[in-house]
């Protein structure tokens, strides 16, 4: 019943379906259980950002089907695996060799 987007200004927005009305109440957003997750923004993924990271460093993210891990890609060509949710800042993810 909801979808979220990450804007070019690095803001997370949550909208109601089908009206598209933006939801701004943090308590309501916190209660949402997401079917999928591909956002690089939000309290649930704050730990994917390395210390001293620029806004554009982490460019993609995707939660596994089981909802237990999140995989990220960055500007340095690294693919990292984290536990999900990843709410603690500056967590060391596992590097994935491709």
């Amino acid at each position: 019943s909801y979808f979220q987007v990450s804007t070019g200004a690095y803001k997370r927005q949550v909208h109601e379906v089908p009206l598209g009305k933006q939801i701004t109440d943090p308590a309501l957003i916190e209660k949402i259980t997401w079917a999928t997750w591909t956002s690089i923004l939000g309290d649930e993924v704050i730990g994917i950002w390395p210390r001293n990271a620029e806004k554009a460093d982490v460019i993609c993210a995707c939660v596994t089907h089981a909802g237990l891990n999140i995989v990220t890609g960055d500007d340095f060509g690294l693919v990292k695996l984290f536990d999900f949710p990843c709410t603690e800042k500056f967590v060391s993810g596992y590097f994935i060799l491709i």
Side-chain angles (χ1 to χ4, degrees):
S1 297
Y2 301 95
F3 70 93
Q4 64 180 330
V5 295
S6 302
T7 70
Y10 292 90
K11 303 269 188 213
R12 176 187 180 196
Q13 293 182 349
V14 176
H15 297 267
E16 186 177 4
V17 174
L19 301 176
K21 178 184 174 195
Q22 185 173 354
I23 307 299
T24 57
D25 180 6
L28 177 58
I29 293 170
E30 188 175 306
K31 292 178 183 178
I32 297 171
T33 300
W34 298 99
T36 62
W37 187 288
T38 57
S39 179
I40 59 171
L41 302 176
D43 292 339
E44 297 86 346
V45 293
I46 200 162
I48 68 173
W49 292 88
R51 193 178 309 273
N52 302 320
E54 298 291 326
K55 282 186 176 179
D57 285 351
V58 179
I59 56 174
C60 61
C62 187
V63 171
T64 60
H65 290 292
L68 301 175
N69 300 100
I70 186 166
V71 178
T72 65
D74 63 30
D75 276 347
F76 308 106
L78 298 175
V79 177
K80 297 179 188 174
L81 178 70
F82 299 89
D83 291 334
F84 184 81
C86 188
T87 57
E88 187 177 328
K89 286 186 176 184
F90 315 124
V91 173
S92 295
Y94 300 97
F95 293 98
I96 300 172
L97 300 176
I98 298 177

